[in-house]
Amino acid sequence: FFLSLKLEKKTKGKVQKQICQVVLDHFEKQYTAELGDAWSSVRDVLTSPWCWQHALLLNRFSPSPGLESSLAEQGYHPAFPAALPYLPAAFRCYSRAVPGRFPAQKHQPGRLKDYYLLNAASLLPVLALEVQDGEDVLDLCAAPGGKSVAILQCAYPGHFHCNEYDDLRSRWLEQTLESFIPDPLVNLITVSKLDGRQIGDLQPEFYDKVLVDAPCSNDRSWLFSADSQQAVLRLMQRKELSSLQFQLLRSAVEALRPGGSLVYSTCTLSRAENSDVINLILSSCSNVMPVDISGMARAVSQEFTFLSGTQQHELLVLPEKGRAWGPMYVAKLKKVSST
């Protein structure tokens, strides 16, 4: 969402960053084939940052008197209905249909932030994971830390392992946790910089829940690549991402205890990085079963637009005007026996 914040600072109606035509042409070809008629309205939202929306996830560790009433006065409403299969009382997120954003809070050492600005669809993987108090939880690709913070708004894990392989992003993750989580709890969180593909071997059958928010081709930011050379390189590397995602997912399965569940998510529309990766893991791991999340999708259908025709264990949020959330792909799996 940081990119979108910059883009919203318009000067005399002009957007500071320009759309990268190389990426748009690539998306046009791929997503017309994969999404059909839905692509044109999705494209309109992705290429118009001034219509992007931002939600506020409130921080239960830093209650701010009057914040919720102030949000209500400005047209914000709870983004997730009580009818959801899993919605902890402490989990509070607000959104509104009107574009624009609430002021961001700067990081101040020793002081907790009151809320986290984010794309509301990025909370669906956390709600699908259904973390309970005392469970051992792994966030395999945790930076920048928004989903880790959201997990801690839901429950107190027995052991919470946040992993981020990239050094720069790992520091970003640590700063996010410091900004939202009080010291006693932060000290109980393990932050590591391991290669996520190896964690299954290092800690086999250790976790009750695993979140794999995989590195992916980020459709929103890629459309505004700084230059065409960078864009061409990204599009070449895109072909290799599904292999990495599959390896991360297989590692997550190995790290799960029998009976444990995992959620896989990306912020791309690409079928190769979404359904194809999940189908490959289901066909290659006989001890993994899909978990129906259609009930969650139905419960939030007023707030989010979903691609039709997906399987019951997956969903894909499509951005549209007035509901400009996503892209966000979510799939849930369960490990039924030892490897």
Side-chain angles (χ1 to χ4, degrees), residues 51-204:
C51 76
W52 296 359
Q53 293 158 260
H54 301 90
L56 283 85
L57 176 66
L58 304 196
N59 186 10
R60 65 163 160 168
F61 304 110
S62 180
S64 180
L67 177 56
E68 286 178 272
S69 57
S70 172
L71 288 170
E73 288 168 12
Q74 296 177 59
Y76 284 83
H77 61 272
F80 298 96
L84 269 168
Y86 171 85
L87 189 72
F91 186 92
R92 290 168 299 150
C93 180
Y94 286 84
S95 67
R96 64 177 181 178
V98 183
R101 66 179 182 88
F102 212 68
Q105 292 180 306
K106 290 183 178 177
H107 173 70
Q108 295 179 27
R111 183 174 176 185
L112 297 181
K113 293 185 182 181
D114 302 322
Y115 54 86
Y116 193 104
L117 285 169
L118 76 180
N119 183 322
S122 67
L123 295 172
L124 291 173
V126 172
L127 294 174
L129 196 59
E130 301 189 21
V131 174
Q132 307 295 330
D133 288 347
E135 289 183 324
D136 295 322
V137 180
L138 168 63
D139 189 348
L140 192 69
C141 314
K147 293 180 180 67
S148 297
V149 167
I151 285 170
L152 291 166
Q153 305 305 313
C154 295
Y156 292 98
H159 174 69
F160 192 23
H161 181 180
C162 300
N163 181 70
E164 176 55 52
Y165 182 54
D166 182 84
D167 192 57
L168 186 64
R169 287 173 60 83
S170 182
R171 290 200 293 274
W172 190 3
L173 167 65
E174 288 181 343
Q175 187 179 89
T176 301
L177 292 172
E178 286 171 16
S179 291
F180 287 91
I181 312 303
D183 282 343
L185 193 52
V186 164
N187 294 337
L188 298 175
I189 300 170
T190 301
V191 177
S192 66
K193 292 189 282 188
L194 300 166
D195 183 334
R197 294 170 292 187
Q198 298 172 355
I199 287 182
D201 290 330
L202 295 170
Q203 297 178 308

Side-chain angles (χ1 to χ4, degrees), residues 232-305:
V232 169
L233 183 62
R234 279 177 165 175
L235 292 173
M236 287 171 60
Q237 292 171 335
R238 191 179 205 208
K239 298 170 185 174
E240 301 164 16
L241 278 169
S242 57
S243 174
L244 170 64
Q245 291 155 348
F246 173 74
Q247 292 173 61
L248 289 168
L249 200 47
R250 188 169 55 188
S251 175
V253 170
E254 291 168 359
L256 266 183
R257 291 179 179 135
S261 55
L262 71 82
V263 167
Y264 173 80
S265 61
T266 74
C267 53
T268 180
L269 299 161
S270 177
R271 187 183 297 159
E273 299 176 51
N274 294 338
S275 297
D276 289 356
V277 174
I278 292 297
N279 290 338
L280 185 58
I281 206 82
L282 286 170
S283 63
S284 59
C285 298
S286 59
N287 61 336
V288 174
M289 300 289 288
V291 177
D292 187 350
I293 56 172
S294 59
M296 182 183 79
R298 279 193 302 272
V300 297
S301 59
Q302 293 300 308
E303 188 77 29
F304 302 97
T305 301

